[in-house]
Amino acid sequence: MEELFEPRAIAVIGATPKEGKVGNTLLKNLSKFKGKIYAVNPKYREVLGVECYPSVKDLPEEVDLAVIAVPAEVVPKVLEECGEKGVKAAVVISAGFREVGNYKLEMELVEICKKYGIKMVGPNCLGIINTSNGLNATFSGVEPLRGRIALISQSGALIVAIMDWALANNIGFSKIVSLGNKALLNECDFIEYLSNDDETEVIALYVEGIEEGRRFMEIAEKCRKPIVAIKSGKTSAGAKAVSSHTGSLAGSYEACRTAFRQSGVVEAESVEELFDFSTVLSYIKGFRGGVAIVTNSGGPAVMASDAVEKYNLNLASFEHETVEMLRSIAPYGNVYNPVDVLGDADAERFCKALDIVAKDRNVGLILAILTPTATIDGVKVAEKIVGINKKVVGCFMGGKSFEEAVRILREKGIANFNDPVRAVKAIASVQFYSRRTKRKEFVRFDVDLKKVRELLKRGLYFEVVREYGIPVPPYGIARSAEEALEIADKIGYPVAMKVVSPKIIHKTDVGCVKLNVTRNEVVKIFYEILKRAEEFGDVEGVMIQKMMPTGKEVIVGMKRDPSFGPLVMFGMGGIYVDVFRDVSFRIAPISREDAEEMVREVKAYRILQGVRGEKPSDVDAIIDVILRVSQMVMDLEEILELDINPIFVYEKGCCAVDVKVIV
Amino acid sequence: MEELFEPRAIAVIGATPKEGKVGNTLLKNLSKFKGKIYAVNPKYREVLGVECYPSVKDLPEEVDLAVIAVPAEVVPKVLEECGEKGVKAAVVISAGFREVGNYKLEMELVEICKKYGIKMVGPNCLGIINTSNGLNATFSGVEPLRGRIALISQSGALIVAIMDWALANNIGFSKIVSLGNKALLNECDFIEYLSNDDETEVIALYVEGIEEGRRFMEIAEKCRKPIVAIKSGKTSAGAKAVSSHTGSLAGSYEACRTAFRQSGVVEAESVEELFDFSTVLSYIKGFRGGVAIVTNSGGPAVMASDAVEKYNLNLASFEHETVEMLRSIAPYGNVYNPVDVLGDADAERFCKALDIVAKDRNVGLILAILTPTATIDGVKVAEKIVGINKKVVGCFMGGKSFEEAVRILREKGIANFNDPVRAVKAIASVQFYSRRTKRKEFVRFDVDLKKVRELLKRGLYFEVVREYGIPVPPYGIARSAEEALEIADKIGYPVAMKVVSPKIIHKTDVGCVKLNVTRNEVVKIFYEILKRAEEFGDVEGVMIQKMMPTGKEVIVGMKRDPSFGPLVMFGMGGIYVDVFRDVSFRIAPISREDAEEMVREVKAYRILQGVRGEKPSDVDAIIDVILRVSQMVMDLEEILELDINPIFVYEKGCCAVDVKVIV
């Protein structure tokens, strides 16, 4: 990727002296680039003072990067020439490909890139920027400031809007990438690159779809920088907009959100959050201990305290000494957390409070909330904050009064927010990031893969589940009425009888399940079930299953996401799933820690712990089932969807009573 | 209140020439006041060019308003003199009252005000502002712009911060009130006044506690302007901060939030939301039809669509003609909602799209999302928007590029947001406001009040519930074992037996409840229960109740909030209440519409509708119980807490099986 962001020489293909044209703006924006620039256009010998050549092949030296802004149908030819010339990287600005249904033309570009090993951004993109070497290979009208945030976006328009806004708010960028149609390079490639980019402290990402889901997770997990991401096209309304927009297939939002969480990506809900979170994370990656609030104004501190609770942060409990020292400087104020040094405080008193709180070992981060008063000097407080030996987030509320103070904070990387709630949300994003789960161990259970594949083919899903070590009731499969009686006699009455056929998924709906069958009904029901199943075909037989005592009902299921792979679900059965959607997801493979979290995450977990004097259910048994399902759906890619439902959970052990599989 | 905001003459008591003192800043801030100002201070004959008198009693004419900034202990004397002089209103800036534990001194002020009929703001407040006549009776260093938002805040510091920020963001105010300790006047009084204030279009409110809850609801409901409110001190952490801050008792947040909702107050979660919502509501009070999104950029439109779904708004479905006309101007764009005229659109194309969408009868409001491009002229689009015959919210994203355009929008009252999600949330606040329930009818049921009071006194709660027409199982109260048998024989076996005593609330816990009692156990259990109940005293007898068939379990309860009165709760019994906190609240009296909403609002409502092939439960019967409980808790103020739990609901009818009452 070095050739993209650190090229020695660049060719602008489609450069033109015509004002307002993309090929003109590109060349202008590149004027600050610290390297050689060539223009390519058969019509000119020189464009804006830059040497111009008829073709990239005519250039007097090798170039690393070609920026291409020619009509779509010409791009393949130009790219081919780039390949022949040995160009390593290309940014294809030109539109008119997949986004207008022209898939074939886009595939041509990919073929050419693969042939010559060209790294291509786009097509249909705004371009890329590297602020450290003046590389602005975009046609944007705004020149971004240098900073620590890398921005990757699937929407070029959003980049322009953000750059414009960021300039007004003094926020800078290290790199900016407009992904465009992502024909070759996508967010994964850039995250991988930026993970090792010294200029970048945090990666802000806007995506509408993630195509290489599993690669994304792997790269995100390994990434050495925090990633903050907006996934748009979440809801059905949104998803519709996506498909009619860039033609990007909106992956299931649940899968994406789970992937974010599992790989430590901080999710943002809006552009504002994207930058609130990125700004804080560009300086603070984590903190140990609680949050201390120090303020000269009670109202905003109360709002912040509310938000601390809402966003699952902890207010630090102060050490005794801290309280005593605070009392000595603010006897009428609040000396517990949140610390209120009162409205008549001057900078000296506020700074003393900061010093005292900073020394408390229970405090991991200080939120300094300041409102303008006649007595407070914001600049002095800001100067104190930038030198303090503790992580600090600022909430200097106001406009002109604190302009200079906020400038001082920003300069030293202290984020400032005008709203205490926004500040707390941003702090919560740091906590999420610092608590992300690290590289985990995956257990493997012994399974005869050849055997289970065979069973799967025959529609013997119950057998598959059993082979994976998931407890099932005693059962047998009868091919004849005689055999049915024999099995039932062995198991004991009453029994459940169900058809076995890969063709029949909803067995109950077609009358192929009978529960509580007694001895003298077995034969009659055997024939009944066979008769009803006849029309579907592929009947393997009838399963005779022991009727199990009812336990707490849980469900473990899976749906294979086209991008992220097997999305495993856990929930309490029935109404909790249907009505409350009280379920948790993880993408397989699932570690033990993940499985434990999955179970604890659902609200109905308390039911498993035992409510109203009940004994707790065997949670370990459920975790074991989740881990085994995880392995099963990793092993058997044929399984598209899976429902093990219900699973009865007892005080000791559990039992999977029914299994549905879609292959 | 006229004397407060429109005084003819003002006395500043405690005026001083000493720079930096409150009494100095006050006088300076009042310099633009269009009326007569007097200074009062025995030390001076003149302060900052204003005539100064030793006492308010020495003033040459009557004054309407006194602004008082003298030491706390002197305030009563000064206020007394004001009363004698005939001053109608006072703003007491001085601190040192309830907030530092000095309740007695504060009560003195209230007594004096009552004696003379003085309207007092404060004490311990920042003051008040009326931008229409230059009345800035605060010691803030910022002079607010004139505008349509009235701001009422319990935190003076927050007002200063907000004014400072608003100035930088070009947001103006009609009136500003710092409530201080609310010794006499509180938010209710000001809302009542501002409801009829022509300068005010929306009321922004920050409160930590609402003391006159029922009055607040009544006034808020009648208020002719939208009210947007932050209630801080929501959570337990927050509540702690409140009580250690202004000593305001944090009312139960649930009660307050319910009151907001029930009386049409829009709740904001942060200062940012307070102003986002207020800004939009100051121009748009409602809209009929769906939201149309028009954009030149797909990405932000997708985010907006996601938010539209999340915040329960509807995207308008376009009329056929609209779609056709849009296609004719943007054949490659998206002509369904959200409309994307694409990144190469100029202002003309964008404005045409606005015109077309504005004519669609299904569209109630347009969200115009614009990102900076080379081709778009934001100013032209803004000029179009301000003239269009449809409600519009702007989302011109960017900084400098749209500065002038945003100024044009603001000038004509079109709110603009930099973030599509923030814009949509603000639109949702308009929808909430416009759909608030209006003045409702309350049903009354015939009840013998004297009789129920008597029953209540004797702890016969079951009888009370029955008297209110709530269905209960057949039962009788036995005073002897013989009578117990007699009653049980009449009811039929098995029966439930429960002690009746106003002293025993948790009957089961002390072994005074037996279920499924058969005939030959009745006598034994009668004595057992009596024996166990002995130590508690006041035993009325033993209730013999028919064992009812189990239905869907629901709970109707009530907790009397000290400020808002009876907070009635509905929920599905057991786990749904305990684990999921899936309950709804209303403050009594409850209208039929409210009761219907209460039932529909809980997530478990679907269980009542019938899941998995079950017949629906009798929702009307539940609504009837809620209405009867509402009347009961309004009639009987002695009841502090009430649980009717469980109530079995059947396909037809329902039955209250157990009742707990705390008097």
Side-chain angles (χ1 to χ4, degrees):
Chain A
M1 301 284 261
E2 199 118 349
E3 290 84 0
L4 256 178
F5 292 106
E6 312 271 0
R8 284 156 306 173
I10 303 176
V12 179
I13 305 175
T16 164
K18 289 183 193 152
E19 278 291 326
K21 290 272 174 188
V22 169
N24 181 273
T25 312
L26 273 172
L27 207 56
K28 281 184 189 154
N29 282 347
L30 278 167
S31 62
K32 286 182 194 148
F33 173 61
K34 294 168 187 154
K36 184 71 186 163
I37 306 267
Y38 294 100
V40 173
N41 191 332
K43 290 191 205 148
Y44 308 100
R45 301 295 306 271
E46 183 246 290
V47 180
L48 299 171
V50 174
E51 302 162 44
C52 187
Y53 294 84
S55 152
V56 74
K57 290 170 78 176
D58 302 322
L59 295 179
E61 62 165 327
E62 278 197 7
V63 296
D64 294 319
L65 172 64
V67 184
I68 300 172
V70 298
E73 58 280 10
V74 190
V75 176
K77 180 179 158 279
V78 163
L79 206 55
E80 186 83 42
E81 288 172 0
C82 285
E84 286 168 14
K85 181 73 179 179
V87 172
K88 314 282 193 319
V91 174
V92 182
I93 308 285
S94 320
F97 296 88
R98 184 162 55 96
E99 81 282 6
V100 293
N102 215 339
Y103 294 88
K104 205 171 141 267
L105 197 63
E106 188 162 312
M107 279 318 295
E108 260 183 69
L109 302 193
V110 174
E111 291 308 316
I112 297 166
C113 286
K114 283 187 178 159
K115 185 165 134 198
Y116 294 103
I118 299 172
K119 303 270 184 195
M120 178 180 70
V121 184
N124 183 31
C125 76
L126 181 78
I128 61 163
I129 292 177
N130 179 358
T131 55
S132 70
N133 62 359
L135 173 78
N136 180 349
T138 74
F139 59 97
S140 151
V142 191
E143 185 69 35
L145 299 176
R146 199 166 165 178
R148 299 150 72 93
I149 301 174
L151 173 64
I152 305 173
S153 168
Q154 201 174 338
S155 162
L158 196 69
I159 292 180
V160 180
I162 285 174
M163 283 201 294
D164 197 13
W165 164 87
L167 194 64
N169 287 275
N170 243 340
I171 292 177
F173 297 92
S174 54
K175 309 276 189 295
I176 296 179
V177 180
S178 166
L179 294 170
N181 290 359
K182 307 200 269 187
L184 192 73
L185 296 180
N186 62 29
E187 56 282 351
C188 300
D189 303 291
F190 293 104
I191 293 170
E192 203 168 27
Y193 171 75
L194 292 166
S195 171
N196 295 307
D197 177 33
D198 291 338
E199 302 282 323
T200 299
E201 279 299 329
V202 61
I203 300 166
L205 177 68
Y206 169 88
V207 282
E208 290 165 4
I210 291 177
E211 290 73 25
E212 296 185 283
R214 295 194 74 85
R215 186 174 160 226
F216 175 86
M217 287 181 73
E218 205 179 298
I219 289 173
E221 210 173 295
K222 280 195 205 138
C223 183
R224 296 166 55 218
K225 314 286 162 63
I227 303 167
V228 184
I230 299 181
K231 161 73 174 79
S232 83
K234 293 178 173 81
T235 55
S236 53
K240 216 163 80 188
V242 165
S243 25
S244 58
H245 169 43
T246 38
S248 168
L249 281 164
S252 148
Y253 173 54
E254 270 311 335
C256 191
R257 165 168 240 189
T258 305
F260 280 179
R261 193 195 150 152
Q262 228 169 318
S263 51
V265 173
V266 181
E267 194 184 352
E269 298 275 349
S270 63
V271 178
E272 183 172 283
E273 281 188 6
L274 187 69
F275 279 86
D276 284 356
F277 299 174
S278 295
T279 305
V280 171
L281 279 164
S282 71
Y283 285 90
I284 306 180
K285 316 283 191 222
F287 56 93
R288 272 170 202 281
V291 175
I293 299 172
V294 180
T295 187
N296 66 340
S297 162
V302 177
M303 275 191 274
S305 300
D306 283 344
V308 159
E309 182 147 326
K310 180 166 177 188
Y311 295 103
N312 295 315
L313 292 162
N314 296 313
L315 276 187
S317 293
F318 289 152
E319 295 169 316
H320 179 68
E321 213 188 337
T322 305
V323 173
E324 289 307 308
M325 287 173 74
L326 286 170
R327 189 167 284 139
S328 74
I329 62 154
Y332 298 106
N334 188 26
V335 295
Y336 298 94
N337 199 1
V339 178
D340 184 355
V341 294
L342 299 183
D344 63 348
D346 55 9
E348 198 191 344
R349 194 197 296 165
F350 199 96
C351 293
K352 271 187 191 159
L354 285 175
D355 262 333
I356 294 166
V357 169
K359 288 202 183 79
D360 192 299
R361 275 165 303 184
N362 299 334
V363 173
L365 183 145
I366 300 173
L367 174 59
I369 304 179
L370 215 65
T371 59
T373 64
T375 46
I376 201 86
D377 181 342
V379 170
K380 278 192 188 151
V381 176
E383 278 164 354
K384 176 82 208 173
I385 286 175
V386 300
I388 218 163
N389 188 21
K390 196 68 116 188
K391 281 149 187 172
V392 183
V393 168
C395 182
F396 284 42
M397 300 174 75
K400 222 172 165 52
S401 309
F402 289 143
E403 229 168 40
E404 176 60 12
V406 169
R407 203 192 52 72
I408 292 169
L409 293 178
R410 283 239 170 96
E411 208 162 71
K412 300 288 178 183
I414 310 287
N416 188 69
F417 299 91
N418 232 306
D419 184 309
V421 178
R422 269 175 74 185
V424 171
K425 272 164 87 172
I427 295 169
S429 79
V430 174
Q431 177 168 285
F432 168 83
Y433 177 70
S434 69
R435 288 192 182 169
R436 72 196 183 283
T437 38
K438 306 289 156 56
R439 206 76 208 127
K440 325 132 200 167
E441 300 294 316
F442 301 106
V443 246
R444 257 209 84 81
F445 305 95
D446 268 347
V447 172
D448 181 343
L449 254 178
K450 211 179 138 199
K451 186 173 171 192
V452 292
R453 283 238 159 77
E454 182 57 34
L455 293 167
L456 190 64
K457 231 174 260 165
R458 288 165 59 196
L460 299 171
Y461 306 132
F462 222 78
E463 311 259 319
V464 173
V465 163
R466 188 175 63 176
E467 284 297 319
Y468 271 92
I470 294 166
V472 296
Y475 75 97
I477 295 171
R479 274 81 184 174
S480 68
E482 214 168 36
E483 204 181 350
L485 254 185
E486 203 177 289
I487 293 168
D489 281 348
K490 206 156 74 193
I491 287 173
Y493 294 94
V495 293
M497 293 173 69
K498 305 170 181 178
V499 75
V500 179
S501 159
K503 294 280 168 68
I504 306 175
I505 292 149
H506 299 287
K507 299 183 285 283
T508 311
D509 297 354
V510 292
C512 288
V513 172
K514 283 277 172 187
L515 302 180
N516 284 312
V517 180
T518 57
R519 189 170 203 282
N520 53 15
E521 297 169 321
V522 168
V523 172
K524 192 184 100 215
I525 285 170
F526 179 85
Y527 288 118
E528 258 179 46
I529 287 176
L530 280 194
K531 192 156 191 292
R532 285 193 180 133
E534 220 169 34
E535 53 173 308
F536 301 97
D538 280 1
V539 176
E540 271 280 339
V542 173
M543 179 187 287
I544 317 292
Q545 205 183 57
K546 180 169 179 173
M547 288 297 298
M548 297 300 292
T550 311
K552 293 270 173 289
E553 288 187 27
V554 307
I555 169 172
V556 175
M558 186 279 300
K559 187 174 190 296
R560 203 169 289 273
D561 183 82
S563 173
F564 292 98
L567 186 64
V568 176
M569 188 187 88
F570 166 76
M572 299 289 294
I575 268 153
Y576 302 103
V577 173
D578 296 345
V579 177
F580 290 95
R581 296 169 191 276
D582 179 29
V583 293
S584 57
F585 293 100
R586 287 296 182 281
I587 289 164
I590 297 174
S591 67
R592 171 161 280 273
E593 294 73 32
D594 274 338
E596 281 169 4
E597 270 179 29
M598 269 182 97
V599 177
R600 275 200 306 262
E601 222 170 272
V602 300
K603 283 195 196 139
Y605 175 58
R606 268 189 51 198
I607 298 170
L608 293 174
Q609 292 176 290
V611 285
R612 301 180 156 188
E614 287 171 348
K615 292 255 168 75
S617 302
D618 190 344
V619 169
D620 280 339
I622 305 172
I623 290 169
D624 192 64
V625 170
I626 293 173
L627 295 176
R628 288 170 189 277
V629 165
S630 166
Q631 179 173 333
M632 183 166 97
V633 296
M634 289 301 289
D635 287 348
L636 307 172
E637 296 208 345
E638 304 91 311
I639 302 180
L640 297 181
E641 288 182 35
L642 166 76
D643 264 355
I644 309 187
N645 179 32
I647 301 170
F648 289 148
V649 189
Y650 307 108
E651 270 181 62
K652 192 88 202 98
C654 69
C655 184
V657 178
D658 202 17
V659 175
K660 279 197 191 75
V661 170
I662 297 173
V663 289
Chain B
M1 303 283 261
E2 200 115 350
E3 290 85 0
L4 256 179
F5 292 106
E6 313 272 359
R8 285 157 305 175
I10 302 176
V12 179
I13 305 176
T16 165
K18 289 185 195 152
E19 278 291 326
K21 291 270 172 191
V22 169
N24 181 275
T25 312
L26 273 171
L27 208 57
K28 280 184 190 157
N29 282 349
L30 277 166
S31 63
K32 286 182 194 149
F33 173 60
K34 294 169 185 152
K36 185 71 186 164
I37 306 268
Y38 295 101
V40 174
N41 190 332
K43 291 193 206 146
Y44 309 99
R45 301 295 308 270
E46 183 248 289
V47 180
L48 300 172
V50 174
E51 303 162 42
C52 188
Y53 294 84
S55 151
V56 74
K57 291 169 81 175
D58 303 322
L59 294 180
E61 63 166 325
E62 277 195 8
V63 297
D64 294 319
L65 173 64
V67 184
I68 300 172
V70 297
E73 58 281 9
V74 189
V75 177
K77 178 177 160 282
V78 164
L79 205 55
E80 186 83 42
E81 287 171 1
C82 285
E84 286 166 14
K85 181 73 181 178
V87 172
K88 314 282 193 320
V91 174
V92 182
I93 308 284
S94 319
F97 296 88
R98 185 162 55 95
E99 82 281 6
V100 294
N102 215 339
Y103 293 89
K104 203 168 145 270
L105 197 62
E106 188 161 312
M107 280 319 295
E108 261 182 67
L109 303 192
V110 174
E111 292 308 318
I112 297 165
C113 287
K114 283 187 177 158
K115 183 165 138 199
Y116 294 104
I118 299 173
K119 302 270 183 195
M120 178 180 69
V121 185
N124 182 30
C125 76
L126 180 78
I128 62 164
I129 293 177
N130 179 358
T131 55
S132 70
N133 62 359
L135 174 77
N136 180 348
T138 73
F139 60 96
S140 150
V142 190
E143 186 70 33
L145 298 176
R146 198 166 165 177
R148 300 150 72 93
I149 301 174
L151 173 64
I152 305 173
S153 169
Q154 199 172 339
S155 162
L158 195 69
I159 292 181
V160 181
I162 285 173
M163 284 201 293
D164 196 14
W165 164 86
L167 194 64
N169 287 275
N170 244 339
I171 293 177
F173 298 93
S174 55
K175 310 275 189 294
I176 295 178
V177 180
S178 165
L179 294 170
N181 289 0
K182 306 200 270 186
L184 192 74
L185 297 179
N186 62 29
E187 56 282 351
C188 300
D189 303 291
F190 293 103
I191 292 170
E192 203 168 27
Y193 171 76
L194 292 167
S195 172
N196 294 307
D197 178 32
D198 290 339
E199 303 282 323
T200 299
E201 279 298 327
V202 62
I203 299 166
L205 177 68
Y206 169 88
V207 284
E208 289 165 5
I210 292 178
E211 291 73 24
E212 297 185 284
R214 296 194 75 84
R215 186 174 163 227
F216 175 86
M217 286 181 75
E218 207 178 295
I219 288 173
E221 210 174 295
K222 280 194 203 138
C223 182
R224 296 165 56 218
K225 314 286 163 63
I227 303 167
V228 184
I230 298 181
K231 160 74 173 78
S232 83
K234 293 179 174 80
T235 53
S236 53
K240 214 163 82 185
V242 165
S243 24
S244 58
H245 169 43
T246 40
S248 167
L249 280 165
S252 145
Y253 174 55
E254 269 311 334
C256 191
R257 163 168 241 190
T258 304
F260 280 178
R261 193 196 151 151
Q262 228 169 320
S263 51
V265 174
V266 181
E267 192 184 354
E269 299 274 349
S270 63
V271 178
E272 183 173 283
E273 281 189 7
L274 186 70
F275 279 87
D276 283 357
F277 299 174
S278 295
T279 305
V280 171
L281 279 163
S282 72
Y283 285 90
I284 306 179
K285 315 282 192 224
F287 57 92
R288 271 168 202 282
V291 175
I293 298 171
V294 180
T295 187
N296 68 341
S297 162
V302 177
M303 275 190 273
S305 301
D306 283 343
V308 159
E309 182 147 326
K310 179 166 178 189
Y311 295 103
N312 294 315
L313 292 162
N314 296 313
L315 276 186
S317 293
F318 290 151
E319 294 169 316
H320 179 69
E321 213 188 336
T322 306
V323 173
E324 288 306 308
M325 286 173 73
L326 286 170
R327 190 167 285 140
S328 75
I329 62 153
Y332 296 108
N334 188 27
V335 295
Y336 299 94
N337 201 359
V339 178
D340 184 356
V341 294
L342 299 184
D344 63 347
D346 55 9
E348 200 190 343
R349 193 198 296 166
F350 199 95
C351 293
K352 271 186 191 161
L354 285 174
D355 263 333
I356 295 166
V357 169
K359 289 203 181 79
D360 193 298
R361 276 165 303 183
N362 299 335
V363 173
L365 183 146
I366 300 173
L367 173 59
I369 303 178
L370 215 63
T371 58
T373 63
T375 48
I376 202 86
D377 181 341
V379 169
K380 280 191 185 152
V381 176
E383 278 164 354
K384 177 81 208 175
I385 286 175
V386 300
I388 220 163
N389 188 22
K390 195 67 115 189
K391 283 152 184 169
V392 183
V393 168
C395 181
F396 285 40
M397 299 175 75
K400 221 172 165 54
S401 309
F402 289 142
E403 228 168 42
E404 175 61 11
V406 169
R407 204 193 50 72
I408 293 169
L409 294 178
R410 284 240 169 95
E411 208 162 71
K412 300 288 178 182
I414 311 286
N416 188 69
F417 299 91
N418 232 306
D419 183 310
V421 177
R422 268 175 73 184
V424 171
K425 272 165 88 171
I427 295 169
S429 79
V430 174
Q431 177 169 285
F432 168 84
Y433 177 71
S434 69
R435 288 192 181 168
R436 71 199 184 281
T437 39
K438 305 289 155 56
R439 204 79 207 123
K440 324 130 202 174
E441 299 294 316
F442 301 106
V443 247
R444 258 210 82 82
F445 305 96
D446 271 348
V447 172
D448 181 343
L449 253 179
K450 209 178 137 200
K451 186 172 169 194
V452 292
R453 283 240 159 75
E454 181 57 35
L455 292 168
L456 189 64
K457 229 174 262 163
R458 288 166 58 198
L460 299 172
Y461 306 132
F462 222 78
E463 310 259 318
V464 173
V465 164
R466 187 176 65 177
E467 284 298 319
Y468 271 92
I470 294 167
V472 296
Y475 74 98
I477 294 171
R479 272 81 182 174
S480 68
E482 214 168 38
E483 205 182 349
L485 254 186
E486 203 177 287
I487 295 168
D489 280 349
K490 207 157 71 192
I491 288 173
Y493 295 93
V495 293
M497 294 175 67
K498 305 171 182 178
V499 76
V500 179
S501 160
K503 294 278 169 69
I504 306 175
I505 292 149
H506 298 287
K507 299 183 285 285
T508 311
D509 297 354
V510 292
C512 289
V513 173
K514 281 279 172 187
L515 302 179
N516 285 310
V517 180
T518 56
R519 189 169 203 281
N520 54 15
E521 297 168 320
V522 168
V523 172
K524 192 185 99 214
I525 285 171
F526 179 84
Y527 289 118
E528 257 179 46
I529 287 178
L530 281 194
K531 189 154 195 293
R532 286 194 179 132
E534 221 168 33
E535 55 174 310
F536 301 97
D538 280 0
V539 176
E540 271 280 338
V542 173
M543 179 186 288
I544 318 292
Q545 205 183 57
K546 182 170 176 173
M547 287 297 298
M548 298 299 293
T550 312
K552 294 271 173 287
E553 287 187 28
V554 306
I555 168 169
V556 175
M558 186 277 301
K559 187 175 191 296
R560 203 169 289 274
D561 182 83
S563 173
F564 293 97
L567 185 64
V568 176
M569 187 187 88
F570 166 76
M572 299 291 292
I575 268 152
Y576 302 103
V577 173
D578 296 344
V579 177
F580 289 95
R581 298 170 189 276
D582 179 28
V583 294
S584 56
F585 293 100
R586 286 296 181 281
I587 289 163
I590 296 173
S591 68
R592 172 161 280 275
E593 294 73 33
D594 273 339
E596 281 169 5
E597 271 179 26
M598 269 181 97
V599 177
R600 274 200 307 263
E601 224 170 88
V602 299
K603 282 196 197 136
Y605 175 57
R606 269 188 52 198
I607 297 171
L608 293 173
Q609 292 177 292
V611 284
R612 300 181 157 188
E614 287 169 348
K615 293 255 170 73
S617 302
D618 190 345
V619 169
D620 280 338
I622 305 172
I623 290 169
D624 192 66
V625 170
I626 292 172
L627 294 176
R628 288 171 190 275
V629 165
S630 165
Q631 178 173 333
M632 182 166 97
V633 296
M634 289 302 289
D635 288 348
L636 307 172
E637 296 208 345
E638 305 91 312
I639 302 181
L640 297 182
E641 287 182 38
L642 167 75
D643 262 355
I644 310 187
N645 179 32
I647 302 170
F648 288 149
V649 189
Y650 308 108
E651 268 180 64
K652 193 88 203 94
C654 69
C655 185
V657 179
D658 202 18
V659 175
K660 280 195 189 77
V661 170
I662 297 172
V663 289

